[in-house]
């Protein structure tokens, strides 16, 4: 039979068992949180912001009162929005090389179009701005020369009539 001391001890033992189980659950959640945050931080360092953001969101679910995941999600969003403003360097270089080759071949109007495509990617690039001006100057010079030649031919033609 159960004695009075045992009767009093049972609720304490049950509470201790509950507390031990709760402590174990909390420690397990903390370990899982730390693991997920470590993965997220590594992805963030590798600039894999979308994947990092998902891991930070997972960490928020594990430990909703922690503010670090929320701050890092904001950092991911900021980094992704800044990256969307960074020009596509490969495309820019391709347009620039193409334009330079066309310019060297004296195909100024085609070169101008390629330089303008490069300018859309990097609007404040001084080299591109300079090359566009050179193309326009060359086009204008050729156009003026053609007009002068045309005028001269008209004069010659009139003189022979």
């Amino acid at each position: 039979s159960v004695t009075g001391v045992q009767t009093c001890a049972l609720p304490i033992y049950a509470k201790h068992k509950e507390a031990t189980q709760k402590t174990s659950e909390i420690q397990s959640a903390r370990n899982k949180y730390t693991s997920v945050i470590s993965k997220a931080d590594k992805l963030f360092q590798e600039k894999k912001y979308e994947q990092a953001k998902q891991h930070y969101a997972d960490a928020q679910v594990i430990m909703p009162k922690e503010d670090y995941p929320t701050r890092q999600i904001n950092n991911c969003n900021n980094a992704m929005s800044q990256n969307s403003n960074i020009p596509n360097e490969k495309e820019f270089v391709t347009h620039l090389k193409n334009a330079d080759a066309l310019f060297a071949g004296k195909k100024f109007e085609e070169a101008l179009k390629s330089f303008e495509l490069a300018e859309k990617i990097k609007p404040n690039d001084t080299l591109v701005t300079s090359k566009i001006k050179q193309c326009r100057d060359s086009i204008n010079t050729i156009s003026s020369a053609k007009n002068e030649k045309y005028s001269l031919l008209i004069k010659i033609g009139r003189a022979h009539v």
Side-chain angles (χ1 to χ4, degrees):
S1 111
V2 178
T3 66
V5 174
Q6 289 174 322
T7 304
C8 291
L10 284 174
I12 295 170
Y13 174 75
K15 293 259 187 221
H16 175 69
K17 190 175 177 183
E18 265 181 55
T20 304
Q21 185 177 350
K22 222 21 160 174
T23 302
S24 177
E25 289 171 11
I26 291 169
Q27 189 57 46
S28 176
R30 172 62 66 187
N31 290 343
K32 188 172 182 182
Y33 172 85
T34 303
S35 173
V36 171
I37 288 293
S38 292
K39 287 177 190 172
D41 287 343
K42 184 176 186 289
L43 290 165
F44 186 86
Q45 291 294 323
E46 294 170 356
K47 300 181 188 309
K48 295 178 181 176
Y49 302 116
E50 195 62 48
Q51 292 172 319
K53 189 174 150 180
Q54 183 56 54
H55 279 78
Y56 290 124
D58 292 345
Q60 272 182 321
V61 171
I62 297 166
M63 299 195 79
K65 292 182 180 177
E66 292 290 328
D67 65 340
Y68 180 75
T70 304
R71 285 195 323 266
Q72 286 304 98
I73 287 171
N74 290 335
N75 289 338
C76 287
N77 288 334
N78 290 339
M80 287 187 298
S81 72
Q82 287 174 358
N83 280 347
S84 69
N85 296 330
I86 294 175
N88 182 336
E89 193 65 28
K90 189 175 180 180
E91 186 179 355
F92 174 78
V93 170
T94 300
H95 288 307
L96 203 55
K97 285 180 179 179
N98 185 39
D100 282 335
L102 291 165
F103 188 87
K106 301 195 184 309
K107 296 179 180 180
F108 302 116
E109 289 186 23
E110 291 174 53
L112 177 62
K113 288 177 186 172
S114 286
F115 282 126
E116 286 172 340
L117 289 171
E119 183 183 41
K120 285 181 183 176
I121 297 170
K122 285 189 179 181
N124 300 320
D125 189 280
T126 55
L127 173 67
V128 173
T129 305
S130 169
K131 293 288 192 169
I132 288 173
K133 184 183 179 324
Q134 287 177 7
C135 282
R136 289 184 177 143
D137 289 346
S138 296
I139 291 167
N140 289 337
T141 301
I142 290 170
S143 181
S144 294
K146 284 181 180 178
N147 286 340
E148 286 177 28
K149 187 176 180 182
Y150 178 76
S151 295
L152 182 61
L153 289 173
I154 296 293
K155 284 181 186 176
I156 293 171
R158 286 189 183 148
H160 289 291
V161 177

